[in-house]
Amino acid sequence: MAWLVGLSGVPGVGKSTIARAFAGETGALWLRVDHVEQAMRESHIQTDDLADGGYAALQAVAAAALEHGFDVLAHSLNPIQLTQVAWRAATAEKNGRHLDVELSFSDKAAHRQRVEIRASDVPGRALSDWPAVLDRRYEPFTSADLQLDTGALTVAKAAARIRAATAVAEAQSHG
């Protein structure tokens, strides 16, 4: 049974870095909402508000990948309970396994520094500055399976904890 790991958190907590490591180690299909939304902005679509368009498109791709047996790493801000629930629904629709991972950064000064020095790895995509990160609407998860403070973990340790959580859940489903 295929996995969908939902990797979520505010800008600058390390989602992209951890996703790159996890996908590289596991071979999971890395689906990133930033790529989809940037492609939508660059297309002929005339809108200033993509609303949930990028999420809806990515959830459809994730469901198709799960149906074909691919493990998926869904990387997005995932700021509200509506989107958090939608990822679980995409997994359930294809009888996949699901793991929600919420990343945070408890050291605000270090988080701010990370936000201010990072560079975009999605061509054409503007990054949020620190005031925008602070003003961003974000509803913490009420049901995250795993919560990681990326200020206290290396990338390798964070990826290892996610792998371990999927292994434990898989073992429990077989036992």
Side-chain angles (χ1 to χ4, degrees):
M1 186 181 303
W3 274 96
L4 189 147
V5 174
L7 189 61
S8 307
V10 299
V13 295
K15 293 183 301 293
S16 301
T17 305
I18 292 168
R20 188 174 293 107
F22 181 81
E25 293 166 8
T26 64
L29 176 61
W30 178 14
L31 299 177
R32 184 174 175 188
V33 78
D34 295 336
H35 288 140
V36 172
E37 289 178 346
Q38 187 60 33
M40 292 169 77
R41 284 182 194 95
E42 293 172 359
S43 75
H44 70 276
I45 296 172
Q46 299 296 313
T47 182
D48 290 333
D49 181 11
L50 296 175
D52 68 340
Y55 281 80
L58 217 53
Q59 287 159 357
V61 172
L66 290 169
E67 183 174 31
H68 293 285
F70 292 97
D71 291 328
V72 174
L73 174 64
H75 162 192
S76 61
L77 183 69
N78 216 5
I80 60 173
Q81 289 184 5
L82 179 67
T83 59
Q84 296 163 8
V85 169
W87 283 113
R88 281 195 177 270
T91 306
E93 176 185 328
K94 300 303 177 185
N95 297 315
R97 292 191 180 104
H98 191 92
L99 181 76
D100 276 320
V101 180
E102 182 178 33
L103 303 180
S104 62
F105 203 114
S106 60
D107 182 337
K108 296 301 176 201
H111 185 194
R112 179 181 183 160
Q113 182 180 17
R114 183 185 284 184
V115 166
E116 291 176 345
I117 64 169
R118 68 191 179 137
S120 179
D121 61 345
V122 177
R125 180 174 173 267
L127 295 174
S128 301
D129 61 8
W130 184 243
V133 170
L134 293 176
D135 290 342
R136 186 79 190 224
R137 178 180 177 197
Y138 185 80
E139 297 173 4
F141 275 69
T142 58
S143 62
D145 302 297
L146 183 62
Q147 294 179 322
L148 300 175
D149 179 354
T150 58
L153 294 171
T154 64
V155 171
K157 285 183 181 178
R161 289 211 182 153
I162 297 167
R163 284 192 320 275
T166 60
V168 166
E170 190 158 336
Q172 290 174 343
S173 72
H174 292 329

